[in-house]
Amino acid sequence: MSTDLPYYLDPAPGTGALPPRAWYAGSDAARLSLNGSWHFRLSPTATAQDESFARPEFDDSRWDRLPVPAHWALHGHGAPAYTNHLYPFPVEPPYVPTENPTGDHRITFALPEGWQAGGAPASVLLRFEGIESCAKIWLNGEELGVFKGSRLPAEYPVGALLRPEGNVLAVRVHQWSSGSYLEDQDQWWLPGIFRDVTLLHRPDGSVADYFVHTGFDHRTGEGTLRVDAEPGGRVTVPELGVDIATGESLTLPVEPWTAETPRLYDAELATEGERIPLRIGFRTVLIEDGVLKVNGRRILFRGVNRHEFHPEHGRAVDLDTMRTDLLLMKRHNINAVRTSHYPPHPAFLSLCDELGLWVVDECDLETHGFVEFEGWKGNPADDDRWTPALLDRAARMVERDKNHPSIVIWSLGNECGTGRGLSAMANWIRERDPSRPIHYEGDLSCADTDLYSRMYADHAEVELIGRREELPWGDPELDAKRRSLPFILCEYAHAMGNGPGGLGEYQRLFETYQRLQGGFVWEWIDHGIARRTADGTPYFAYGGDFGEELHDGNFVCDGLVFPDRTVSPGLIEYKKVVEPVRIEGEPGSGTVRITNSHDFTDLSHLAFTWVYEVDGHAVAQDALAVPPLAAGESAELKLPVPDAAGQDGEAFWQVRAVLREDTPWAEAGHEVSWGQWPAATAPAAVHDSGPALLAPRAGEGGVVVLGPGTFDAATGELKYLEGFQVAGPRLDVWRAPTDNDEAALSVPETRDALAWRTLGLHRMRHRIASVVLTEDALTVTTRVAPAASDLGLRTVYRWTADAADGGRLHLAVEVTPEGDWKVPLPRLGVRLGVCGTLGSAEWYGGGPGEAYPDTRAASRIGLHASTVDALQTPYVRPQENGARADVRWVRLRRADGTGIAVRQGEGSPAFWFTARRWTTEQLDAADHTPDLTPGEVVWVNLDHGQHGIGSQSCGPGSLPQYRLAAAEASFGFTFSTLDGR
């Protein structure tokens, strides 16, 4: 390899920057933001243009304008590209293609009044918070240096170069560089100056760096404080009466910082030339007896992984959006963030300090694409030429972020294999900051880490790990060390599309085994980029939508919120599963068990209420007195005997815990936890002879009339229900596969959708075996089967109508599999079409949102209402969605109130209800939401069973109990019409 590589190919760190230091939001020293509108020129290669543009007199008047911070590919210059882990260029480190989009940026600015021009070099610093992926920087024609490490800051001394007016800052940014090999992080490749650019005035005696050291002794209630600073000065904490010199330690009673009680003390660091406001949190992080503890107590991560993303601005995320993310997290019981896979904008960490979240701060490092080569051949993490760059990135992360109490773990990076560079990083971090443990998932031997971490381990393996009985990995000594460590799932429950499923089973394991300290769902947000069709219809684009020659499709859309931060059903499910108060009752017991699952706080901040509901109507309700149970404590409380005289029907207890007072993240009354259970045990089924039944009769025009139903005499298919036209119902087993059904990263034999399509479940054919009229029923026998297969589902539909109430039509369905079925069914039920004017729905059952067998924890039994359109969940890639669970009855109405009602059949179980304005086949064929065109028919699925969801898009599939086997089944429904009253 040549030793005189261009700067953008050199594996070494950047040049010209000052040593890294702590970030802070403000001080009494002046600063000038250079964010705004810059001149911009894009070239196709790194050398297509010379460096004359950096001269102040260069004429850039014909250049385009570009906002900074921004990614030029989102502003009409080039295009975004998405890959999961494959490098989008030939892998020959450190080389990148000659086709290397390069953006030249220029801005002219004047110094604010009172700033001195031409002072000492360090009297003014030029700070860049983030540039992707490599840049050369000039000020007034003088080269300052080379920026590398996209998501980390760099500062350049520029005081001697500044003028009162007409200062020209020029920045050349290359999309590809040697650093690109270290930044293969499952996200859009988006070049540009995407974080803030700032001039910082540094008076004589201003702070060069500082390090706030705190601790908390949970036994004495005392905190320790020492602030090291260069140059020295004094630290004051008025609330505590503290006024000490930097470098001096003291111990005093304090309130500790935790994610549940984010207690911060306002303080000030004052040196001869600067005053910096501090927000100090007292806490101690340590590993004791194989458990990670903060302030002496085990903590449980209810976490998410968070990429920085905005659907219009990419990774140029503003402060309001950061706060929105954190408020949504707190309101959904999330208590931890892993900053996958790079340090976020530093303001985000300050918000975590303020609002209260545990943070795993992860270095800007991933070399995942090298997994494609045997033994991770060529991996920079194990190549000494790259070690200085790895150490540079580790130092810039730790030094920037070291003063945040929310950060409890440092992470070396993600999916980099193993190697000497990672070991060097771990050693440096331990020496610089021994107060926090080190995380890295990629080395299962845990040679360099303080925690055992895995991605997507299934439930069975996680339980073995909880028992410290996991299988050996290699060296016995390292195996013993690993088994002694705390365990986290740094990624689990892949939230791609509909899902994830199986969350509750993971959470029960976390709460059972001390070693299992929770995990981080992958991930927070779908990375769909906002776009519009030719007619202006909005949608979100994903990989392949920008002409990429290599891409990973919609795998970039795998979040708990949609790109516009609309909450998904997955986040609502997660909130319920990880709720910090367990509220449970046994049917018929008349008692409720309250368990405080917080790590630190008692329940005094919550108010509890109970409600007694009959058939969805509240008949009694009141406050519930709950003692302020300490963390980990439980109590069993007697519920009152409600006055429900004359209230026949299905009764449920529901108990809720809500915030008693306003908090910084939610208002009083915000629901934190809830529980619901039947007020009585289910009665035993009573079988009798039933009412007298009407006889079906043949009518003119080849029809059969039975009660309110008119049927095709040849096929036995229902055509009209009184005045409402109907198509069907008939057996349906197909659903538009979810991302988890498709299981793109799994081996073919485990992919449910592939097995379903191979068998032909998406193209089932219906053969009518017989249509028989008897004196009390119309019975239709069919065989439903795929082409080219001997498998089938023998299906018998038995239609009856009560003589005493001819307005109700009953359907009993019996399904018998024929042949040796080795694959599960996507769904099992009936589908029918009704008039599109039936646009509103109300139902009694589970809701208000969608639910599936392993995603139904957040589904409450009650009365719910919605439009048909609002029943849809607009996943970025359309797929099965919108089912409501445990439905007893549903009513579809027109605007005038008339409509059709469906009730669970006598003796039949509750059902799953779905309604949409397109067929399942149309849903399956769609790539984006605008592909779904509403039709004239509302298609309704009434399902006896649904296959589970799982998270096999990048994780385990559905647990066995949630797989829908092809087995004998009996179910039924009662149909009637609504007159508008």
Side-chain angles (χ1 to χ4, degrees):
M1 182 183 298
S2 171
T3 58
D4 57 351
L5 290 169
Y7 63 90
Y8 54 88
L9 296 182
D10 191 338
T15 61
L18 294 172
R21 65 185 181 102
W23 178 88
Y24 50 88
S27 76
D28 63 350
R31 60 178 56 206
L32 174 66
S33 172
L34 298 182
N35 295 349
S37 179
W38 292 42
H39 285 89
F40 177 77
R41 174 183 68 185
L42 182 65
S43 302
T45 70
T47 58
Q49 301 285 347
D50 62 25
E51 296 181 351
S52 62
F53 83 100
R55 295 199 300 264
E57 66 273 16
F58 183 88
D59 183 7
D60 60 13
S61 60
R62 301 182 68 179
W63 286 17
D64 292 323
R65 305 293 290 191
L66 182 74
V68 170
H71 303 281
W72 68 66
L74 298 180
H75 290 268
H77 305 279
Y82 166 64
T83 60
N84 169 26
H85 75 280
L86 296 176
Y87 289 106
F89 46 77
V91 179
E92 48 170 349
Y95 297 103
V96 297
T98 300
E99 298 85 8
N100 187 358
T102 295
D104 292 333
H105 303 67
R106 281 172 53 100
I107 187 172
T108 302
F109 64 92
L111 289 183
E113 189 174 333
W115 284 45
Q116 180 182 355
S123 64
V124 179
L125 305 182
L126 173 63
R127 182 179 177 95
F128 291 88
E129 297 292 350
I131 305 174
E132 183 175 334
S133 70
C134 173
K136 183 180 279 192
I137 303 161
W138 296 263
L139 180 62
N140 292 331
E142 295 292 328
E143 182 180 326
L144 301 180
V146 172
F147 180 105
K148 294 182 181 179
S150 295
R151 289 124 207 152
L152 290 161
E155 291 181 332
Y156 303 88
V158 298
L161 302 176
L162 289 169
R163 309 166 181 170
E165 295 182 347
N167 295 283
V168 176
L169 176 60
V171 185
R172 170 162 285 177
V173 181
H174 306 287
Q175 173 157 8
W176 308 121
S177 70
S178 59
S180 301
Y181 285 100
L182 306 180
E183 297 169 5
D184 187 24
Q185 292 144 325
D186 185 12
Q187 60 183 331
W188 294 99
W189 298 92
L190 287 171
I193 306 172
F194 68 96
R195 287 186 185 160
D196 306 293
V197 184
T198 313
L199 273 181
L200 303 172
H201 186 225
R202 311 305 297 147
D204 291 342
S206 61
V207 177
D209 195 15
Y210 69 98
F211 197 163
V212 177
H213 303 273
T214 67
F216 180 76
D217 189 329
H218 63 282
R219 294 160 298 190
T220 66
E222 292 182 319
T224 59
L225 172 65
R226 186 183 85 247
V227 179
D228 295 332
E230 177 60 39
R234 298 199 68 81
V235 176
T236 54
V237 189
E239 188 176 354
L240 296 175
V242 170
D243 185 345
I244 58 173
T246 56
E248 180 181 339
S249 299
L250 85 164
T251 301
L252 73 172
V254 297
E255 297 175 42
W257 188 98
T258 74
E260 294 170 4
T261 54
R263 181 66 161 94
L264 295 172
Y265 289 90
D266 290 328
E268 185 179 77
L269 167 62
T271 65
E272 181 180 344
E274 186 175 19
R275 292 179 178 271
I276 296 175
L278 308 179
R279 305 199 77 189
I280 296 176
F282 292 88
R283 56 107 186 95
T284 294
V285 184
L286 58 82
I287 293 173
E288 185 177 59
D289 301 324
V291 176
L292 176 68
K293 297 180 180 180
V294 175
N295 301 338
R297 295 188 64 91
R298 171 187 183 261
I299 63 173
L300 183 61
F301 294 119
R302 300 167 166 91
V304 291
N305 287 273
R306 175 187 176 269
H307 269 296
E308 290 184 304
F309 184 75
H310 187 283
E312 295 173 342
H313 309 304
R315 285 185 287 281
V317 179
D318 62 89
L319 186 62
D320 286 344
T321 300
M322 298 177 208
R323 184 176 286 274
T324 295
D325 279 346
L326 288 172
L327 293 178
L328 280 171
M329 291 178 194
K330 293 288 288 187
R331 291 168 186 167
H332 289 85
N333 294 331
I334 289 166
N335 72 355
V337 176
R338 175 179 176 229
T339 69
S340 52
H341 298 292
Y342 43 84
H345 191 290
F348 180 82
L349 300 172
S350 293
L351 290 172
C352 291
D353 296 340
E354 172 192 328
L355 296 171
L357 282 99
W358 309 116
V359 175
V360 177
D361 197 7
E362 191 150 271
C363 197
D364 188 12
L365 178 62
E366 181 168 335
T367 63
H368 198 179
F370 287 90
V371 75
E372 296 294 318
F373 311 110
E374 185 175 355
W376 286 72
K377 179 183 176 183
N379 183 14
D382 195 32
D383 184 334
D384 290 338
R385 295 172 302 171
W386 297 81
T387 298
L390 271 60
L391 287 169
D392 172 72
R393 290 171 184 242
R396 287 158 69 192
M397 172 184 72
V398 171
E399 300 295 3
R400 190 196 76 166
D401 297 342
K402 57 184 178 258
N403 295 319
H404 292 283
S406 57
I407 297 172
V408 292
I409 296 171
W410 298 118
S411 180
L412 301 181
N414 185 69
E415 293 175 320
C416 296
T418 59
R420 299 183 294 271
L422 292 166
S423 298
M425 293 171 69
N427 292 335
W428 185 91
I429 293 173
R430 277 201 183 89
E431 183 172 347
R432 178 58 174 151
D433 179 27
S435 71
R436 296 174 173 102
I438 292 175
H439 166 271
Y440 177 65
E441 179 272 341
D443 181 6
L444 299 187
S445 75
C446 299
D448 296 318
T449 68
D450 302 307
L451 303 144
Y452 179 30
S453 175
R454 290 286 302 282
M455 295 180 180
Y456 308 109
D458 64 25
H459 301 79
E461 184 181 4
V462 169
E463 183 161 17
L464 284 175
I465 293 170
R467 295 172 176 169
R468 302 188 190 271
E469 297 174 358
E470 67 267 23
L471 296 175
W473 178 250
D475 180 88
E477 185 174 336
L478 289 175
D479 281 343
K481 175 195 173 185
R482 185 184 71 249
R483 291 195 184 98
S484 73
L485 300 178
F487 175 80
I488 62 172
L489 278 168
C490 68
E491 294 180 21
Y492 83 115
H494 198 253
M496 185 175 179
N498 187 335
L503 287 170
E505 287 75 13
Y506 274 119
Q507 194 66 20
R508 282 192 282 275
L509 292 171
F510 300 157
E511 294 175 0
T512 299
Y513 298 100
Q514 285 283 300
R515 184 192 189 189
L516 305 181
Q517 298 198 240
F520 298 81
V521 168
W522 185 268
E523 65 161 307
W524 174 242
I525 188 168
D526 286 343
H527 297 200
I529 293 177
R531 286 292 182 266
R532 291 183 179 271
T533 62
D535 65 2
T537 304
Y539 71 101
F540 294 110
Y542 49 76
D545 289 337
F546 298 95
E548 304 101 306
E549 65 179 16
L550 186 70
H551 66 85
D552 287 291
N554 70 311
F555 201 71
V556 76
C557 295
D558 44 17
L560 291 170
V561 296
F562 296 126
D564 61 0
R565 287 172 166 78
T566 299
V567 171
S568 80
L571 180 56
I572 295 170
E573 178 80 357
Y574 193 42
K575 175 185 179 179
K576 174 60 179 168
V577 167
V578 301
E579 61 189 4
V581 181
R582 296 287 178 220
I583 303 173
E584 302 163 306
E586 290 293 329
S589 69
T591 61
V592 59
R593 184 173 182 82
I594 309 289
T595 301
N596 183 359
S597 297
H598 288 92
D599 295 325
F600 297 92
T601 62
D602 64 23
L603 298 186
S604 59
H605 65 295
L606 298 176
F608 291 79
T609 60
W610 62 266
V611 60
Y612 186 85
E613 296 179 336
V614 177
D615 287 344
H617 298 281
V619 298
Q621 55 191 326
D622 205 348
L624 178 66
V626 176
L629 302 170
E633 289 185 346
S634 297
E636 195 163 287
L637 307 174
K638 191 70 176 175
L639 291 166
V641 178
D643 181 8
Q647 298 287 337
D648 293 332
E650 187 178 22
F652 279 88
W653 286 105
Q654 186 174 167
V655 174
R656 302 171 64 235
V658 303
L659 290 179
R660 190 180 297 277
E661 299 176 347
D662 290 351
T663 71
W665 49 270
E667 295 180 347
H670 167 78
E671 185 178 78
V672 173
S673 302
W674 61 273
Q676 184 187 52
W677 60 96
T681 55
V686 177
H687 301 281
D688 55 32
S689 58
L693 301 176
L694 293 173
R697 57 183 176 81
E700 295 181 0
V703 301
V704 171
V705 178
L706 176 59
T710 301
F711 298 81
D712 186 300
T715 65
E717 183 174 322
L718 180 65
K719 293 297 185 183
Y720 290 93
L721 185 68
E722 290 190 353
F724 292 91
Q725 189 172 5
V726 178
R730 64 177 187 171
L731 192 75
D732 189 17
V733 299
W734 182 241
R735 74 182 187 194
T738 68
D739 290 313
N740 291 301
D741 293 335
E742 297 286 6
L745 297 187
S746 303
V747 294
E749 55 267 26
T750 67
R751 299 177 190 168
D752 287 330
L754 179 60
W756 295 339
R757 293 187 197 277
T758 300
L759 181 57
L761 298 186
H762 60 309
R763 47 178 173 77
M764 301 289 274
R765 295 293 179 261
H766 297 246
R767 178 177 65 81
I768 300 168
S770 64
V771 179
V772 177
L773 278 67
T774 61
E775 61 183 26
D776 61 358
L778 167 63
T779 302
V780 181
T781 302
T782 68
R783 188 175 190 272
V784 183
S789 172
D790 64 351
L791 301 180
L793 298 169
R794 180 179 175 82
T795 307
V796 178
Y797 310 87
R798 187 172 187 270
W799 292 96
T800 60
D802 296 346
D805 184 2
R808 295 179 182 270
L809 188 64
H810 308 292
L811 169 63
V813 183
E814 293 187 356
V815 180
T816 304
E818 296 179 346
D820 184 14
W821 285 78
K822 298 184 183 300
V823 299
L825 297 176
R827 68 172 357 122
L828 181 66
V830 296
R831 176 168 64 170
L832 65 154
V834 298
C835 179
T837 59
L838 297 170
S840 65
E842 55 183 343
W843 70 97
Y844 174 53
E850 76 178 25
Y852 290 82
D854 53 350
T855 65
R856 66 199 296 179
S859 180
R860 309 187 207 207
I861 303 300
L863 291 170
H864 306 286
S866 171
T867 65
V868 168
D869 296 329
L871 288 172
Q872 315 312 308
T873 304
Y875 293 111
V876 173
R877 185 193 72 82
Q879 56 198 269
E880 167 63 33
N881 73 88
R884 269 58 181 180
D886 303 309
V887 175
R888 279 69 164 163
W889 56 256
V890 60
R891 297 166 182 159
L892 296 171
R893 295 184 186 269
R894 293 172 171 154
D896 63 5
T898 60
I900 293 175
V902 183
R903 182 177 293 274
Q904 67 186 103
E906 187 70 30
S908 294
F911 55 92
W912 308 83
F913 157 67
T914 310
R916 53 177 68 104
R917 296 187 183 276
W918 36 78
T919 65
T920 301
E921 291 73 21
Q922 290 169 328
L923 184 62
D924 187 14
D927 292 322
H928 298 89
T929 51
D931 298 336
L932 295 169
T933 303
E936 304 263 335
V937 175
V938 171
W939 294 98
V940 179
N941 278 90
L942 309 171
D943 289 320
H944 174 64
Q946 276 271 359
H947 188 64
I949 297 295
S951 63
Q952 203 171 5
S953 52
C954 187
S958 299
L959 287 163
Q961 62 266 35
Y962 301 123
R963 296 179 69 79
L964 182 61
E968 291 188 3
S970 299
F971 51 93
F973 311 96
T974 296
F975 299 86
S976 59
T977 58
L978 304 168
D979 61 9
R981 292 197 297 267

